[in-house]
Amino acid sequence: DADVTQTPRNRITKTGKRIMLECSQTKGHDRMYWYRQDPGLGLRLIYYSFDVKDINKGEISDGYSVSRQAQAKFSLSLESAIPNQTALYFCATSGSPGQWADTQYFGPGTRLTVL
Amino acid sequence: AQTVTQSQPEMSVQEAETVTLSCTYDTSENNYYLFWYKQPPSRQMILVIRQEAYKQQNATENRFSVNFQKAAKSFSLKISDSQLGDTAMYFCAFCKGTDKLIFGTGTRLQVFP
């Protein structure tokens, strides 16, 4: 089974709709991240969480919100989706004790299309 | 603010040959980490190799190795004995400790038979 899972894998929605992307991990990591990938721009950080009570904005948080329901779950919400939020969204985790705590491991991504 | 630059949007290499992907970065930090991630057509982001800035020795991982030049702020990836399965987008990324990753814009590598 995958260590970092994302649901849904693909989603098409309409402008103005609320949508939630979910991320779960079995790696036991404390830190979780949401990134967005647009063609030609690489990945950019939306939000990150270092533990259940710690939520931080990334460089492109406008229009998004997050919820850290448990150590293993981190959800990203688009309260009112707009077409320029069409992108590939990745969840990542890090924080193994000891070695490689700095290394982030990614989920499979969610392709979101806003019409 | 840290930045990561990949100046080669596309590269191609013949199977079994060697190719080098370039990456430069800008930071005032002394302790940090650098990564190369691979994104094949399946779109999964896969860790290729990791380098700790305080280590002078270049990281290697099977056919993948890096040339880390801290003073020049350069972090290139060398792929030896290229295989068709190496065809992918390759992203260079910078991380300051357990902080967020800063990504470059990627290099698309095509391996030809």
Side-chain angles (χ1 to χ4, degrees):
Chain A
D1 290 339
D3 294 319
V4 185
T5 57
Q6 292 183 233
T7 55
R9 294 294 311 279
N10 296 280
R11 180 71 182 267
I12 300 174
T13 192
K14 294 183 178 180
T15 297
K17 294 291 188 181
R18 183 179 188 274
I19 185 168
M20 179 181 288
L21 309 182
E22 297 184 329
C23 177
S24 295
Q25 54 111 347
T26 59
K27 299 182 79 69
H29 288 170
D30 293 328
R31 291 177 277 277
M32 299 186 74
Y33 310 79
W34 276 104
Y35 291 88
R36 166 179 171 159
Q37 183 179 22
D38 297 280
L41 294 179
L43 279 74
R44 294 179 293 165
L45 184 66
I46 306 172
Y47 269 96
Y48 60 106
S49 169
F50 283 176
D51 66 36
V52 175
K53 296 181 180 179
D54 180 63
I55 304 289
N56 303 280
K57 292 182 177 181
E59 62 178 305
I60 55 164
S61 59
D62 288 348
Y64 301 94
S65 63
V66 291
S67 173
R68 185 82 183 265
Q69 300 96 323
Q71 185 200 32
K73 296 183 182 295
F74 192 37
S75 300
L76 175 72
S77 294
L78 287 68
E79 296 301 325
S80 180
I82 57 176
N84 76 359
Q85 291 178 313
T86 292
L88 185 55
Y89 290 85
F90 284 101
C91 175
T93 73
S94 71
S96 294
Q99 282 189 325
W100 290 43
D102 52 275
T103 300
Q104 294 185 25
Y105 297 90
F106 286 80
T110 294
R111 171 75 67 189
L112 176 66
T113 302
V114 183
L115 301 176
Chain B
Q2 292 87 3
T3 59
V4 177
T5 301
Q6 295 180 249
S7 59
Q8 306 154 313
E10 296 185 356
M11 295 279 287
S12 61
V13 64
Q14 197 158 21
E15 202 174 6
E17 297 296 309
T18 296
V19 64
T20 299
L21 308 184
S22 300
C23 174
T24 59
Y25 58 95
D26 187 24
T27 184
S28 58
E29 300 289 334
N30 191 48
N31 294 319
Y32 51 87
Y33 302 83
L34 295 162
F35 305 87
W36 280 97
Y37 284 89
K38 167 185 177 180
Q39 187 178 38
S42 66
R43 80 190 187 199
Q44 176 81 46
M45 292 290 288
I46 301 167
L47 178 68
V48 175
I49 201 164
R50 168 185 175 274
Q51 175 78 43
E52 297 157 336
Y54 61 86
K55 288 187 176 180
Q56 291 186 332
Q57 185 174 7
N58 288 323
T60 62
E61 195 68 44
N62 300 315
R63 298 183 294 107
F64 298 87
S65 61
V66 298
N67 183 4
F68 173 49
Q69 301 290 328
K70 190 173 184 179
K73 297 180 182 176
S74 172
F75 183 60
S76 61
L77 174 70
K78 186 172 80 170
I79 305 174
S80 303
D81 186 25
S82 297
Q83 300 176 359
L84 296 177
D86 295 334
T87 293
M89 282 288 287
Y90 287 81
F91 291 95
C92 178
F94 169 99
C95 179
K96 181 187 64 175
T98 55
D99 208 332
K100 57 187 178 293
L101 283 169
I102 306 295
F103 284 87
T105 53
T107 296
R108 185 175 302 279
L109 176 67
Q110 180 72 50
V111 180
F112 291 98

